[in-house]
Amino acid sequence: MTRVWIGIDAGTTAIKAAAYTSDGTQVATAMRATEILRGRDGSAEQDMQTVWQAVCACLADMAGLLEGCTIGAIGICAQGDGFWPIDAGGEPVGHAILWSDTRESSADDLAELVRTGKAATIGQGCHTALWPGTSALAWRSLRQQDPAIAERVAHGLTCGDWIGFKMTDQIATDYCNATIPFLDLVTREYGKRQVQALDCDDLLAMLPQPRAATEILGTLSHDASHKTGLSPGLPVAVATLDLGAMLVGMGLERSGDSLIILGTTAVVGLLRERIDRADAPIGASVLHPCRDIIVRVLAPSTGSAALDWFVSLHADTAEGDNAAQLIEQMNALAADVPVGAGGVTFLPYLHGERAPFVSPVVRAQFHGLSATTTRGVMARAVMEGTALSIRHCFEAETGLPETAIGMAGGGGQNPIWCQIIADVIGQDILVNPAADLGLWGAACMGAAASGKGDPVQLARRKRDVTRYRANRKAHAAYRDVYARYSVLSEVERETVARLESRS
C-alpha cells in the first residue's frame, strides 16, 4: 500500500493540495481558485468560509484520487500576515483582511506612526518595515472604523492558522508566521515595547502563542473529515508561511544561503544568523520555520510582470499565438544584444517600489533611447532592469552573495533572463524546475511533525537543477551598467520628490 504525505498551499489567488511519496514523487494534486474582494479605498479581503470551502474541495478531490493509499500526515503553508478574525465560537468575524490591503485608513495611520517614531519600535523588534497589511495596522483600522465588529473578535489568526483551526479545532501559529510585526528576534517572544507602542495590548491577547511548525497542531476532526472525505485522526502540523515552506522545499537552511523568486513580483531572500536591527529597515524579516535562522525578505514590486508588460505591447505586431510564443520571440531578438543593451536602461518600477527602497509613486522608465533603438534592445533592457533591481537588493543588504543562488518562480523558465541575472549578480543561478516547492515543503513539514525526520532532509529529492554559470567577463562589464542604473534610480526618486513638493 502506497504511503503518502499531503501538503496544502493556500495562496492569495488559489488553494492547492498535493500528495507525495517519501521520495518526492507527486501522486495526486488538486486546485481551486479564490477571489480577492477589492474596495475602491484600496482594501483587499477574502471570505474566510469560502477559502475553507476551497480547501475542503481540494482535499475531497485528493481523497478520491488516493483510494488505496495510506496518508501519513498533512502539512499546511499559506499566505502570511493580514488579519483573519474569529469569535469565541470559532466563526469568522467579517472578512479576512489580507497582507496586500492598502486601505486609506491604515495608510494614514501608518504615516502617523512613522512620523511619531512609534513604527521604529517594530524595526528594533523584528527588523521589519510596517505596512498596512500587517495584523497590527489591520486591527487598529478595524477597531477605529467598526468598533462593534472589533468587539466580537476573540482570536486574530493568519490564513494558515485559520485552515489549521478548521481542520483540527486547535489554534496555533508558527514562529515564521508570528514574526511580523510583534515578535522580538532575540527573545523569540512577542515584545511588550512593540505592542505598547502600537497600542495593541488588546490584540496581543488574541494572538496565538508561537509554536514550531515541526509540531503536531492536532488531528483531523470528524467535522473536517466529513467535509473533506479524509479519515478522521490524521495528524496535522502547525501551519507555516508559504515562503518558509518554499525554503524547506528548496533545501535552504544555512546562514549565507540565498534565493530569488522571479514571479509576477520578485523576492530576494537571504538567510542570516544575526542582523543589526534598525529603526527603519527595508523589507521584512521572518524566522526560518525549522532552523534558528533569520530570513531577510526584500521584495521588489516588479518581477516577471515587467517582461509580460513589454511583450503585451507588441502582441499585435509580433508573431505568436500566445504569451509564451511571444516571449520566445522577444528572447530571440534580445539574444544578440550585448551586455548593457547598447546604453539603454530600464527602471522596472511599473508598480512603484518597495525594496530596496520604498516609493509607491516612483515609476518605470527607459533611458537612453535613440532613433536606432530596436525592440530587441528594449527587451534586453527590460530583463536587465529587473536583474539590476535584484542586485540592488543584495547590495543594499549584505553585498553580492558569495555562493550560488537558488531560483524559483515562472521567470526561472526563461534561459536568457536567468543568464542575465547570473551575470549581473556574479554568482551561478540554480534553477529548480519544480513548480511545487511550497507544497512539497509543506508536506515534509507535516511528515516531520509526525515523527518521520528532519523536514529539510526529508525534502531532498532527485531533480535536475539547471545551473546558469556566471560569466566573469560579463559580470565585470555589468559593473558600469549597474552604476548607471543606480544613478538613474536615484535621480528618478529625487525627481518624483521634487514634483510632489510642487503639487
Side-chain angles (χ1 to χ4, degrees):
M1 184 174 288
T2 305
R3 189 172 183 85
V4 298
W5 309 325
I6 289 180
I8 299 169
D9 185 349
T12 312
T13 59
I15 307 293
K16 300 175 185 176
Y20 299 89
T21 55
S22 60
D23 65 355
T25 301
Q26 188 181 100
V27 296
T29 185
M31 185 182 76
R32 291 291 188 282
T34 53
E35 181 184 7
I36 302 174
L37 307 173
R38 299 189 184 276
R40 292 184 178 180
D41 62 345
S43 60
E45 301 181 345
Q46 281 185 319
D47 183 295
M48 294 171 63
Q49 293 289 18
T50 299
V51 170
W52 168 236
Q53 289 162 9
V55 172
C56 291
C58 283
L59 293 177
D61 287 350
M62 300 288 287
L65 296 169
L66 295 175
E67 288 186 13
C69 294
T70 299
I71 300 171
I74 300 174
I76 307 166
C77 70
Q79 57 172 297
D81 305 299
F83 190 64
W84 294 62
I86 60 175
D87 62 21
E91 294 300 316
V93 181
H95 290 148
I97 299 173
L98 301 188
W99 62 271
S100 55
D101 189 279
T102 57
R103 68 187 65 200
E104 209 170 295
S105 58
S106 290
D108 292 343
D109 186 26
L110 175 57
E112 182 63 14
L113 290 170
V114 171
R115 188 189 68 79
T116 57
K118 293 180 178 180
T121 60
I122 303 302
Q124 286 295 336
C126 67
H127 198 61
T128 291
L130 269 178
W131 71 91
T134 57
S135 60
L137 272 295
W139 169 247
R140 285 168 61 95
S141 176
L142 181 63
R143 188 176 60 188
Q144 176 67 30
Q145 300 296 315
D146 205 334
I149 293 292
E151 185 112 357
R152 293 171 47 207
V153 179
H155 303 282
L157 311 179
T158 67
C159 179
D161 302 342
W162 162 244
I163 293 169
F165 167 68
K166 292 298 289 181
M167 294 181 74
T168 66
D169 294 326
Q170 302 298 314
I171 291 177
T173 196
D174 90 308
Y175 284 97
C176 189
N177 261 319
T179 311
I180 301 169
F182 293 129
L183 206 71
D184 187 294
L185 291 176
V186 173
T187 66
R188 302 302 203 254
E189 297 177 351
Y190 294 126
K192 291 183 179 178
R193 230 177 119 243
Q194 294 91 283
V195 171
Q196 291 170 357
L198 270 58
D199 187 26
C200 282
D201 289 276
D202 50 358
L203 174 60
L204 180 61
M206 304 175 192
L207 298 178
Q209 284 302 306
R211 292 173 56 187
T214 50
E215 294 181 17
I216 290 292
L217 171 64
T219 58
L220 195 69
S221 69
H222 285 278
D223 182 64
S225 170
H226 176 72
K227 289 182 169 66
T228 63
L230 299 177
S231 300
L234 291 175
V236 179
V238 175
T240 192
L241 183 66
D242 49 9
L243 175 63
M246 182 172 284
L247 291 170
V248 172
M250 294 179 73
L252 300 178
E253 59 175 332
R254 296 179 298 274
S255 180
D257 284 349
S258 55
L259 79 153
I260 297 168
I261 303 173
L262 192 54
T264 302
T265 59
V267 175
V268 174
L270 304 102
L271 279 61
R272 300 170 61 183
E273 285 184 356
R274 62 176 299 277
I275 56 176
D276 296 321
R277 294 176 290 178
D279 288 353
I282 296 295
S285 303
V286 296
L287 293 176
H288 193 287
C290 59
R291 295 289 186 268
D292 190 17
I293 291 287
I294 298 166
V295 185
R296 290 286 295 136
V297 184
L298 288 83
S301 294
T302 305
S304 60
L307 189 58
D308 292 341
W309 162 78
F310 182 73
V311 167
S312 72
L313 300 180
H314 304 277
D316 294 335
T317 57
E319 297 177 4
D321 297 325
N322 53 53
Q325 290 178 358
L326 293 173
I327 288 176
E328 258 185 60
Q329 185 180 357
M330 289 299 170
N331 279 349
L333 293 173
D336 296 328
V337 177
V339 166
V344 175
T345 303
F346 177 70
L347 300 181
Y349 311 141
L350 294 168
H351 306 286
E353 190 53 288
R354 58 186 180 183
F357 63 88
V358 177
S359 175
V361 294
V362 72
R363 284 294 176 263
Q365 63 172 268
F366 284 100
H367 179 273
L369 298 179
S370 71
T372 60
T373 300
T374 65
R375 190 163 53 186
V377 166
M378 295 177 74
R380 179 162 187 117
V382 168
M383 287 187 268
E384 287 186 343
T386 305
L388 293 164
S389 170
I390 290 170
R391 174 170 173 166
H392 197 180
C393 290
F394 280 108
E395 297 273 16
E397 185 67 18
T398 57
L400 293 179
E402 297 179 355
T403 58
I405 308 164
M407 179 184 280
Q413 306 310 308
N414 187 320
I416 291 179
W417 210 349
C418 290
Q419 187 61 55
I420 288 172
I421 293 172
D423 294 342
V424 168
I425 302 298
Q427 285 294 342
D428 292 1
I429 299 295
L430 307 177
V431 177
N432 193 314
D436 63 346
L437 293 167
L439 276 169
W440 171 231
C444 291
M445 296 297 288
S450 66
K452 298 304 178 184
D454 178 80
V456 177
Q457 296 302 318
L458 292 173
R460 302 197 188 285
R461 55 182 176 176
K462 293 181 180 179
R463 287 291 184 273
D464 294 328
V465 175
T466 303
R467 179 183 286 265
Y468 292 89
R469 299 187 181 277
N471 183 299
R472 298 304 158 195
K473 185 176 180 181
H475 179 59
Y478 271 121
R479 289 190 193 122
D480 289 340
V481 178
Y482 178 71
R484 184 174 74 214
Y485 173 93
S486 298
V487 169
L488 291 170
S489 176
E490 187 175 345
V491 169
E492 170 63 10
R493 283 174 271 162
E494 292 172 352
T495 301
V496 168
R498 289 181 63 185
L499 290 172
E500 283 197 311
S501 69
R502 292 172 61 90
S503 60

